Amino acid sequence: MSAKETEGREKPEGLQGKLLALRSSLHPIRKAAGTRLRSIRTTINITFTVIFVAIMLIIGLTLYGRFVRVARQNAIEATQKTLSQSSQTLEQYLNGMRHVSDAAYYSSIRENDIGSRRLLEELSLLYEADKESIVTIAVYSSSGSLLAAEPVANQKMEPDVTRQEWFQAAIEGIENPHFSLPHVQNLFDADSYRRVISLSRSVDLNTGDEPETGVLLLDFSSSDIEQMMQQLSGPLEGQYYYLCDSDGNLIAHPQKAQIMEGLLSEDTSDAAKHPDGILEETVNGTKRTLIIHSISYTGWKMVSVIPNSSFRLGMLNVRLFIEILLLMAGMIVLAVNRVVAGRISRPIMELNDSVKAYEAGGAPRIEPGGSMEIRHLGRSIQASYERIDRLMQQIVNEQNLRRISEIDALQSQINPHFLYNTLDSITWMIEGGKNDEAVFMISELAKLFRISLSKGRTIIPVRDEIQHARSYMNIQKARYKDRFLVEFNLPEDIMDCCTVKLILQPLLENAIYYGVGDMDVDDGGKIIVSGGTEENGIYLRVEDNGFGMPEETAEAVLTKGERVHKHGSGVGLVNVHNRIRLLMGEQYGLSVESEEDKGTKITVHLPKIPYTEENRKKLEGKGDGN
Amino acid sequence: MATEKRRFLLIELLLAAVLSFLLLSLVLDRRQKPQKVIGVVIHQSSEASWRGFLSGARAAAEDESVVLSVAENVNLMKASDFDKTVQDTVSSGAAALIAKPVTGGAALELMQALSGRMPVILAGVSDASVCSVTPDNYAMGHSVGEEIRADYESGLSGKTLGILLPEESAGDAQQALSGLQDALDGSGVKILYKVKNSLTDTGGADVIQRQQWVDIVAALDDNNLGIAGELSLSRNLHGAVVYGIGKSEKNLHLLEKKALRAVIFPDEFTMGYETVQTAVQGLSRGRSLSPRTIPYKILRPSTLFAEDNNALMYLMSR
């Protein structure tokens, strides 16, 4: 909207536009607020979710780590227990064989002559007592000759017994029985080859006169030990057990055949040298845990091997379970957070929607919901909007009033009667040859109209308003043939102050028509225009010594409408009074004093504002409601 | 608002999809995974000569977590019997097949056809179009000839030789025979007979005894070697010295008793183990089958219990 459009002709649209502009000025604030509100909801959502997920992750990882450690520890302890129990069982088995060997030696061989029938019977009894396990009980001389054997069988001719490991170990370790590694028995003819473990010891033989050294051999099936080891199983998948001697030679292993064939390998060197306990090692890049337990009397080691991957495999279910739990909790938390964030932010969003509706031109109706603070905010915003609406309406009303007043004031200047009478007087003067007086009248009329228009301005200097009044009075004096006097007494210091235009002329008009206009020359009618500075500003005064008016009329003249005189312009005191109040403020305007037959004094109260372009625009803008 | 709701639903859907995947993993992990079945079809599988092979196969099955389904003691001398047994094994759910066809021709064609849709491994016999795990039959036959030459040195000229072969046409015996003949080529030994026999015990003994008397008998399969060894032990082979290819404990006993002069002993345990390993590899996607050659040992009575043969004796023992 241009300033010209706003000035006089299209003020309603201008006002409407400004109203909408005012409302729209709230838009950036609303937009910013709306953006912040959306992020508040999202921020609440994200913050709660992140915090919860972080806490759950920490708890989950801690629990999982703890569980893994505990589970691993439990698996190791369970394995150690198994190893201990199995070792005891194996030791009992080996002790059983030792007891058989002891019985054969101490009860039979030492008590009987070698080759005696009783010896053979006792050896036979010992064999029969446990022939499921015992393969052979045999006695050899120190030169390797077979002296006695159960069960009876043909001895193989080829093998040199003295070169077999069990025989050499017995001869070398005289005091101690010796357990060999599992091997295929190569002593007697048999239908099948038997895997045996040889328990051999050096014995003293009763051969008659002098005792001789011999070797007692007890071959028992290695399958008992192999089965015992095969039955061992760990709590973890991939875990296995094996038995080796102190040099790392395998005695029993679930994959012994594959290892002997070279299809697989087992590194037993570390386990064989390690004391009882737990050993962590890496073989071919694979980490594993060995749990070692020694077997008494033999130097054998029972070893449990747990690949570290077995621990992880065992924990797979737990890990999956924890992940599922975390995921479910996360989904629930996400949904709950959304609900909570929504509930917290909904009243704010509704408030925002209400503001949006108002900006779009709706009624200032704010939905007061939510927490105490939001409700207070809503009420405050509603009160603000209502106040804005009232102020806007007030501005509109004032602008309308001002427009009407100015239109009326302008209308008075082009009142046909006044113009007609004035032109008529000019015509009369010209016809009467009073050209100078006619020229004077025309020039005064021109001045009058020029100041009336004042380039469309509403605020003019006091000087111009006085000139307007002078021009008007000069015209009227000519018409009234100087029946009254006019005096102008104004100090210079107020001449360059701001005033509303066309305020003195109506007062002078009233002074003429209701005061001195009908007085005779001899009555000495007089109109005095004066002015000055007062406490709150400046004043302009029009006073006459005419007929005056009753007090009650004087009191009501500014409120009860205008008296339209048939000779007057029709613009009354009320118009002037309202225009001054509109443009200058309500504390300014007219004050009327009158006494019948004494005269009337009307004072115009104005602020003392120096006339500058800036002040003029401010005062005129104030009148526009800006 | 709508955008925010859409985003929320999208995230929840994504999480639900991941949750479903994890739940499925948990259920599948808890459910015992069905083990894959590998069918084994060999002639007279319960015979002692297959003990080493089946031990190795079972050990490999346990290591690889698969199940072996061995056709029990089937007579596969007829191609139709072999065909039926193979079809029965496949229809029972075998995911891979290990077979030792006794007959060639149609049996091998069946193996070739099957190898197009499942892993098929031939054990003990080689074929150009089907993966095989087998000892070098030609080399084993050649070794028999070399042992004969080593014992007789230049004295083979004028000696007579009888060759015993199994009654099969799968090719392994033929390859061994070629090796033997190539080894003895130029030695001056005279081959008086080449007899195919698959009868066992007395039936087989009769077949052998009906042959001309020879100085040396070379048996190119375990069954004939055992029969010839028994005859030699009981002095019913007219003083002939027996050499051959064997894989059973019985022939080791005969060797120990010197009824056999030398035995070429293929590593049956390794053959059984690697056949199953190869089949398992074939079950993995994208892995092609690679044929393997199995080693063998040359055994003499004096070396039977040598340290080098500990593994063999361990596997042959009980």
Side-chain angles (χ1 to χ4, degrees), chain A residues 357-396:
Chain A
Y358 173 73
E359 286 170 4
R365 193 174 297 114
I366 304 296
E367 300 298 332
S371 65
M372 185 175 64
E373 294 84 355
I374 303 298
R375 284 172 190 264
H376 176 256
L377 202 61
R379 282 196 294 272
S380 296
I381 290 174
Q382 172 136 16
S384 300
Y385 285 166
E386 286 170 351
R387 187 156 176 270
I388 288 169
D389 270 358
R390 278 199 305 274
L391 288 172
M392 296 297 282
Q393 195 58 45
Q394 186 179 337
I395 290 167
V396 167

Side-chain angles (χ1 to χ4, degrees), chain B residues 91-294:
Chain B
S91 59
S92 299
L97 185 70
I98 296 169
K100 167 85 167 56
V102 178
T103 57
L108 283 174
E109 281 170 15
L110 175 62
M111 295 292 99
Q112 287 161 13
L114 273 175
S115 66
R117 51 178 229 247
M118 65 194 297
V120 173
I121 295 97
L122 296 178
V125 61
S126 57
D127 183 76
S129 52
V130 182
C131 180
S132 62
V133 179
T134 179
D136 187 343
N137 293 298
Y138 175 89
M140 288 202 293
H142 200 276
S143 294
V144 172
E146 285 172 4
E147 292 302 307
I148 295 171
R149 288 188 85 139
D151 284 347
Y152 285 88
E153 292 176 350
S154 55
L156 267 178
S157 180
K159 297 291 182 186
T160 54
L161 172 68
I163 300 174
L164 300 172
L165 298 159
E167 194 163 348
E168 53 81 44
S169 53
D172 50 341
Q174 294 300 319
Q175 290 166 0
L177 177 63
S178 297
L180 173 65
Q181 288 175 325
D182 288 347
L184 295 175
D185 190 28
S187 66
V189 70
K190 189 175 175 187
I191 300 174
L192 287 190
Y193 63 80
K194 292 179 204 172
V195 169
K196 288 188 180 179
N197 170 56
S198 288
L199 296 174
T200 59
D201 301 323
T202 52
D206 286 342
V207 168
I208 294 171
Q209 284 182 310
R210 278 203 300 273
Q211 308 305 317
Q212 298 177 60
W213 293 4
V214 290
D215 297 312
I216 304 166
V217 171
L220 298 184
D221 70 302
D222 187 78
N223 175 53
N224 283 312
L225 182 65
I227 298 170
E230 293 277 4
L231 288 173
S232 173
L233 190 65
S234 60
R235 302 184 191 283
N236 287 319
L237 208 53
H238 313 291
V241 177
V242 182
Y243 297 78
I245 298 172
K247 55 184 182 178
S248 63
E249 186 187 355
K250 174 185 170 183
N251 283 325
L252 291 181
H253 283 291
L254 289 171
L255 178 68
E256 191 182 358
K257 292 169 185 171
K258 297 181 182 173
L260 304 173
R261 187 66 66 86
V263 174
I264 309 303
F265 208 99
D267 192 343
E268 289 283 304
F269 181 91
T270 300
M271 187 163 76
Y273 194 92
E274 292 198 355
T275 337
V276 171
Q277 245 189 4
T278 305
V280 170
Q281 284 172 7
L283 290 172
S284 303
R285 282 186 192 169
R287 296 190 70 171
S288 56
L289 301 177
S290 305
R292 305 188 195 192
T293 302
I294 303 303

Side-chain angles (χ1 to χ4, degrees), chain A residues 164-218:
Chain A
Q164 293 193 8
E165 185 268 340
W166 57 268
F167 189 92
Q168 290 174 348
I171 293 293
E172 286 166 12
I174 289 179
E175 294 173 1
N176 300 319
H178 169 73
F179 284 92
S180 76
L181 292 173
H183 59 276
V184 176
Q185 194 190 60
N186 186 21
L187 295 172
F188 302 102
D189 289 335
D191 293 335
S192 60
Y193 295 111
R194 298 290 300 271
R195 283 199 296 273
V196 298
I197 294 174
S198 297
L199 172 58
S200 59
R201 67 198 297 169
S202 178
V203 293
D204 294 327
L205 303 173
N206 294 329
T207 54
D209 299 328
E210 292 180 8
E212 285 184 24
T213 303
V215 175
L216 171 62
L217 172 67
L218 174 61

